[in-house]
Amino acid sequence: MKEVLVIGSGIAGLSCAIRCAENNVRVILVSPQPSERAQSVMAAGGINAVTMQCDECDSVSSHIEDTLRGGSWIAGKNAVTGLCSQAQDIIKYLEHIGTVFSIDSQGQPRRRAFGGQSHKRTYFCGSSTGKQIVSALVMEARRFEAAGLITRKLHTHFHSALIKDGMCYGVLLFDELKRTLTPFYASAVVMATGGQNALFGKTTGSILCDGYAAGRLFMQGALLKNLEFIQFHPTTLETDQKRMLITEAARGEGGRLFYEEGGRRVYFMEDKFGANGNLMTRDIVSREIYATNREVFLDVSFLGDRLIAERLQEVCDLCLKYRGIDICTQPIPVAPSVHFFMGGLAVHLNHETNIERLYAVGECASMYHGANRLGGNSLLAALYGGVVAADDLCQRTAPPHCPSFAQFIAHEERHLAAHLDSKSLFPVTYIRDMLADTMHDCMGIVRTEEGLTEGIDAVEYYQSIAEHLRYDSSVSMYANYSLTGILATAHASLSCALARNESRGAHYRDDAPQSKDGYAYATLVSYDDGAYRTWLDKEQAYES
Amino acid sequence: MRVRILRQESPTTEPYWESFDYDGPKDTSVAALLDNLNFHDDLVNDAGQKTQRVTWECSCLQGACGGCAMVINGMPALACDTFLQDLQGDEIVLQPLSKFPTIRDLVVDRASIQDNLKQSGIFIGSYQPAKNESFALQYDAAKCLKCGLCLEICPNYTNGINFFGAVFANDCYLVHARNRQKSRNIKKTYAQHFGNACSKSLSCMDVCPMHISTIASMAKLNR
């Protein structure tokens, strides 16, 4: 019987694992913590689908058009067509496995309007859509766990892939309890490890998503794509440890952005874009907030206690709990923050990378979203991508024979041991903090050639010392060894942003503020013994 | 402010207490306090001795994932959801959840929660809703973090071998409400591993970070 390794147990990983199990393929589902801790549970908004219940004038082709336009025309048309065409079936599937959707008086799932879309097609579960979907998928996965088709492996981290001659035969996993590296061989490996939050330190997402796996695979020959496209959410609240998301619904309900000047409020979005200025797309609002170069506030107090309690209770609770701000009487200090990564591992339509039998799904893969993601499309892409990868890999036969990786494994074991013996005074966490500062400074909302070049210089310096740092034995081993992969992802991201000498979607270059026809393609980046090479995918080798 | 932490190096070593002086901000969470302690070049205890960084578990840092569940001043709570200014006294005492095996410091192995649900066949399978079930209750039940706080406080839950606690009861309710075909069997399983042994202290509801009304789940399943 075939056996598949799925690395990551959020929505994309669960979707893939369940589909494999439905096809009678055995799955080992690897994650450091259970699915309830995955970043997927933090997705609030909803999931897009055109169904029979939607407005008569809505259509799948309209969803496709909105997605391609939102992505500034560089997402693969065939990929997006598949995604949008299957969305109705995905909603049906989620209903079937018992997802608690918000329903209308007839018991039908309700829809809400979302930014960047021509029709109301975003299905939702109150304000915790991701969590409700995770709960339903966890129950469904449990069914297959009980049947022996899915086996969870917790407290375990991805270390590296076992690749030879362009084919993946399995992975090396690090067991944090035993503190050992163990090889696992499989007929296919599916990466579902999320976005690259750790590059930026504080983001709106989970600290478990760090970009290590993509970076390590990149160093082992996998191509990365579109890393310059990073979505900033315009309204987040600073707290000690992270940036808390203030939902777009706060502006949807009428919330107004302003800064203070000479004792009066300046409603800069309304001044520039008119009455609906506060509801411009995320990238525009983020750039406008950045351009004010002042402390910006979001005011909802005028909505009144009752409406706030009815529609924005979670914003109210969050502000009061983490900052002591009563939004019924006080404005919320907000600033843009990193929220979603459109870039990641380059994958073909079947979600396979350029390494045979190595797949990527969810946010760690670059697919469907082009230069900017529509709200409500990430949950859809995570579920759909998992299914597509599973259906493809289940049809494949097992590899003919597995070569020996003994030499590679021994080398990696020696490498880890050597770090534990390092006499360096500097622990790994120092560099991670410095990297976050560099990325914020050089790869933020507004970029320049000069800034990006400085960023690459800084990251090259971190890379030059990373191999000599002290591994702190009192933090997890993963927190130590993950640094080199994270730095590679950071270097690749800066390289992509430097190469794209134009502005498009979420990528804004102050020194090239317009889009250029010659750049209407995805960016690919490869690694060859320390050299980072970028090029435009003019042949549309990926995602199309 | 003094911080006392019950520490343990590995699953097989003995736990021990270690104290730290904390002079960071007070208007912050216990999770931020732990980060603050760990961020120093070298962590030094209140006797001036260099010591190992404190291990704890987290993911979302905003009360949505349940990773950082621990015992704070004697009460089970999420570290990211508990604030220093709300705690009494000048000392904060942190302990790992006691009803699960300790892995290291404040990190425990909560696999028994999932194992019990798996072995009892708690899954919906196919959506065939029961009549007259409250949407709000199902929505809340599905928000369970599987954090283990309800089990830590429960006077009836010891090691999860026979009695599975509120986390189990709420998942049972979800299956009952969303697949009427399984309702009868699920009620039996519920009675066997929860209903027959729950003494209804309802302390589980006091500590649930999602405010799940376990008593409402019980009322539905006891019918």
Side-chain angles (χ1 to χ4, degrees), chain A residues 390-417:
Chain A
D391 285 351
D392 191 76
L393 65 88
C394 287
Q395 288 173 9
R396 305 188 67 145
T397 52
H401 76 283
C402 183
S404 169
F405 286 95
Q407 213 174 342
F408 173 77
I409 295 165
H411 173 265
E412 294 301 324
E413 282 172 341
R414 279 198 304 274
H415 191 245
L416 286 183

Side-chain angles (χ1 to χ4, degrees), chain A residues 37 135 142 240 321 430 472, chain B residues 28 41 53 59 81 122 142:
Chain A
R37 321 282 181 255
S135 292
R142 195 180 288 153
D240 286 334
K321 188 189 284 185
Y430 277 23
D472 184 341
Chain B
T28 196
D41 288 5
R53 291 177 210 279
S59 169
D81 207 21
I122 308 302

Side-chain angles (χ1 to χ4, degrees), chain A residues 17 20 27 168 227 254 256 373 430 473:
Chain A
C20 287
V27 177
C168 180
L227 296 176
R256 303 176 76 190
R373 174 183 67 87
Y430 277 23
S473 63

Side-chain angles (χ1 to χ4, degrees), chain B residues 102-185:
Chain B
T102 299
I103 291 174
R104 186 182 169 105
D105 290 344
L106 299 167
V107 179
V108 296
D109 183 358
R110 288 171 271 190
S112 59
I113 294 175
Q114 303 287 355
D115 287 346
N116 287 336
L117 289 162
K118 182 173 77 181
Q119 281 152 22
S120 316
I122 308 302
F123 52 82
I124 294 165
S126 173
Y127 179 52
Q128 299 174 71
K131 280 185 183 162
N132 303 321
E133 289 296 336
S134 152
F135 167 80
L137 190 52
Q138 293 172 58
Y139 180 78
D140 284 351
K143 281 170 81 174
C144 173
L145 304 179
K146 308 291 184 287
C147 62
L149 294 180
C150 58
L151 306 181
E152 182 69 16
I153 195 96
C154 176
N156 305 114
Y157 184 91
T158 50
N159 50 17
I161 290 174
N162 294 311
F163 180 78
F164 297 165
V167 61
F168 179 80
N170 289 314
D171 262 26
C172 284
Y173 167 67
L174 205 55
V175 175
H176 154 81
R178 298 189 84 72
N179 187 349
R180 61 178 179 272
Q181 301 287 336
K182 292 185 79 172
S183 181
R184 179 172 294 196
N185 281 341

